[in-house]
Every structure is written in C-alpha cells, then in structure tokens.
Amino acid sequence: MTKRVVLIGHPVAHSLSGAMQQAAFDHAGIDARYELWDRASIDIPDTVTELRGDEFLGANVTIPHKERVVPLVDRLTDEAHATGAVNTITREGRRLVGHNTDVGGFKVALDELVGRQKMPRHAVVLGAGGGARAVVYGLIREGFQRIIVFNRHLHRAESLVKHFGRSAAHMDLKAMPWHESIIESELAKTKVLVNATSIGLTDDATPVPAEILGADLLVLDLIYSRTRLLQDAAQAGCTVADGGEMLLHQGAAAFTLWTGQPAPLDVMRAALEEAHAKGVVSAEGEGGAAGTGTGETGSSAPA
Ligand code: NDP
C-alpha cells in the first residue's frame, strides 16, 4: 500500500516541502506520496483524526495551524512542548506525536551563519509567530543572554515572552514595541538579527531601513529568498543567510522521523533549489507564486 504523508496548512498550493519530500521518498525507494492538504481552521480536529489511519506515515503542519494542532495530538516532544508549536506529526500505532523540527533546522542555520566565530550572546528577533517561537527557543537553548523581540502587534511578542518565562528566567528576554528608533538602538548592542516576520516574502519590502544595519551584524532571514533585507545587509558589510538551510534541515529531520532512515540531504537540497528556481515558494507563509505543487489536493486560495 502506498503510504501517505500530508502537509496541512492554508494555503499550501505550491509547496517547496512537497518537492523536497517527494524527491527524498523516491530516492530512498519508499512507496509514499506527499500530499498538500489545504484546510480551514475549523476542519483541523477532523483532519488530525484522519491521520490515525494505517496508510499515514505522518504529516507536516504549517501556517496557520502549527499552534492549533498542539492540543489535538496525544504526545508532544520537548521542542513542541517548549515552543507551543507542532510542524511535524508522527504515528505510534493510533497515537499521534507532535514534534517541532523547526528548532533543529534553525540551529543548523545559526551555526552556519556564525561559522567559526564565537557564538554571540545577544540577538534581536523580528516577529512573534510560529517561526519566531522556534528561533527564540533555539537562541535560549544556545545560551543567548539577551533576546529582544519586536513585533507589529506588541501583545503577540509579549505572549511569546510570557510563554518562555520559565526557560528564560536566567536571562533577558524582552518584548519591545516596533519603533524604528528602538530597533536601531537595540541593533547597536547586538550581533545577531533574525527576521522571523513574513515581510519581504511576496514583495520587495524590508522590516528595517538599510541605514541602521551595522557592518558587524550577522543577519538571518527565515524567508528562503534573497530578500531586500539580505541585500541591504550584504551591502552594509554584514554576514547574511536566508531560510534555505532551516527549511532543508527541518524537512530532513521530519523525513527521518517518518521513515526511520537518514535523510538524503543532497537530493533534498537539489529538489528544493530546483523547485525554488521554478518560482515555487515555501508553504511557510506562501505568497502564491507560480509553480507546481506535488500531489496537490487543496485549493490555491491566497491567505
Ligand atoms: P506567522 O503567520 O505565525 O507570523 C507572521 C509574522 O510576521 C508575525 O510576527 C507578523 O506580525 C509578522 N508580519 C506579517 N506581515 C507583517 C507586516 N506587514 N508588518 C509587520 N509584521 C508583519 O508566520 P511564521 O512565524 O510561521 O512565519 C514567518 C516567516 O518565517 C515566514 O516568512 C516564513 O516563510 C518564515 N519561516 C521559515 C521557515 C524556514 O524553515 N525557513 C520556518 C518557519 C517560518 P503580527 O503578529 O503583528 O501580525
């Protein structure tokens, strides 16, 4: 029987994960199909129940449902529990386990960004959604001593900080209002800047003006693309990285969880690059660019 793995999100019409995971299954000789399920919030409980069937290896979960599935699975891993977000589901018999492989994906991306330098201790994070939760948790685990979270809607950044209250008790984790002058003054004291907003995903917008980017900053944009932010930062002399490595490694970890096999990283990277070059964008905040999803079953309604 062909096994099924599904991506649950809205929208999911053109998914880089689809191209990457299907290439990995095919390469490993695993008879499995990666399907894109576009689901409204109201349908999530029934959708998760459906995954308990024998034909499913598991699922990925993306915007906007990562937090919604948390109470619907039977067990959470430490990362999923700590972040309050699930991006991968596996089955143990009829029981479902919620994982968060974004955390491990972010760690690989951060390590590559920092390279041989000493791991910095101060970071500014822009955004307070599911991606930002994985980032902040990853930074706390990495031993960062000061993390400032800016978000358009301050209350969301405040709830993120509150969520991590206990694990961040030993350090300075703060939410601050999104004012250019405050961001500028925080950036002057920091070494790492992470964009975990979707600003720049579908257009040439940037979350911060080029003038406030100092040359010694390490800048990571979770968006898998050469965004305006990354272009400005590179121009200013910063070290920069996009979200490609994070996307690849969260996907590789998910593949291993479903199949018990090591992920064919080179195959997945090549599939990701090929799909990206064709204009397919990540289902992580998908912008509706042209492209061909794999095993698509949902609609392509924009968010
Ligand atoms: P969410 O929808 O949970 O959060 C979106 C974030 O972007 C919020 O902080 C939101 O602020 C902010 N935002 C959106 N539009 C604007 C705007 N016009 N002005 C200011 N802020 C804005 O999404 P995720 O956290 O899951 O994803 C965020 C980004 O990270 C996406 O671009 C996604 O592609 C990327 N990502 C990449 C991953 C990877 O593997 N590379 C993994 C996860 C995410 P507010 O709360 O005020 O609305």
Side-chain angles (χ1 to χ4, degrees):
M1 173 175 56
T2 301
K3 294 287 188 180
R4 302 168 73 186
V5 180
V6 302
L7 172 65
I8 302 165
H10 177 75
V12 291
H14 308 295
S15 163
L16 282 172
S17 290
M20 171 170 74
Q21 297 293 358
Q22 193 62 55
F25 291 139
D26 295 348
H27 177 84
I30 294 167
D31 183 15
R33 194 173 65 230
Y34 193 90
E35 302 172 19
L36 310 182
W37 283 8
D38 191 321
R39 295 290 186 269
S41 301
I42 195 165
D43 297 325
I44 295 304
D46 287 345
T47 302
V48 171
T49 299
E50 207 178 331
L51 298 176
R52 296 178 193 276
D54 278 345
E55 71 269 35
F56 291 96
L57 288 180
N60 274 143
V61 184
T62 189
I63 289 176
H65 303 313
K66 283 184 186 178
E67 290 156 55
R68 194 159 288 117
V69 302
V70 166
L72 302 174
V73 295
D74 303 295
R75 183 167 76 77
L76 293 172
T77 61
D78 288 348
E79 280 92 356
H81 180 71
T83 53
V86 163
N87 82 326
T88 301
I89 296 174
T90 54
R91 275 184 46 227
E92 284 173 349
R94 288 185 64 76
R95 287 166 54 82
L96 298 177
V97 184
H99 308 253
N100 190 319
T101 67
D102 284 338
V103 176
F106 169 70
K107 160 113 180 97
V108 176
L110 179 69
D111 285 347
E112 290 198 2
L113 180 72
V114 172
R116 292 179 178 191
Q117 301 178 48
K118 192 164 167 275
M119 184 57 77
R121 292 290 171 236
H122 295 183
V124 164
V125 177
L126 306 176
R133 280 179 177 235
V135 168
V136 169
Y137 183 61
L139 293 170
I140 294 171
R141 272 215 320 210
E142 200 59 47
F144 274 64
Q145 289 304 309
R146 180 174 168 85
I147 305 170
I148 309 300
V149 182
F150 291 95
N151 198 51
R152 174 177 56 179
H153 295 104
L154 178 60
H155 67 88
R156 203 170 173 198
E158 286 170 341
S159 8
L160 180 151
V161 166
K162 198 167 161 210
H163 178 86
F164 287 111
R166 197 172 291 176
S167 42
H170 61 290
M171 42 90 61
D172 214 4
L173 173 63
K174 282 194 181 129
M176 287 196 184
W178 189 293
H179 288 306
E180 208 174 291
S181 58
I182 308 179
I183 298 178
E184 182 174 10
S185 110
E186 281 306 321
L187 280 184
K189 295 183 238 166
T190 202
K191 181 82 184 158
V192 174
L193 168 63
V194 181
N195 178 35
T197 74
S198 39
I199 301 172
L201 184 69
T202 56
D203 56 24
D204 203 32
T206 182
V208 291
E211 310 80 73
I212 68 173
L213 300 168
D216 60 345
L217 272 180
L218 305 174
V219 182
L220 174 64
D221 198 328
L222 296 202
I223 297 171
Y224 176 29
S225 163
R226 189 82 173 166
T227 55
R228 166 67 43 202
L229 171 66
L230 293 184
Q231 293 174 42
D232 289 346
Q235 183 85 35
C238 310
T239 304
V240 302
D242 67 29
E245 282 303 295
M246 179 169 170
L247 190 61
L248 172 68
H249 287 277
Q250 63 77 27
F255 176 90
T256 299
L257 287 167
W258 298 320
T259 64
Q261 296 192 21
L265 266 185
D266 291 346
V267 170
M268 295 175 85
R269 181 179 277 112
L272 207 51
E273 285 170 3
E274 192 188 334
H276 187 53
K278 282 184 192 158
V280 182
V281 295
S282 173
E284 299 286 354
E286 172 169 355
T292 50
T294 308
E296 182 177 329
T297 58
S299 81
S300 59

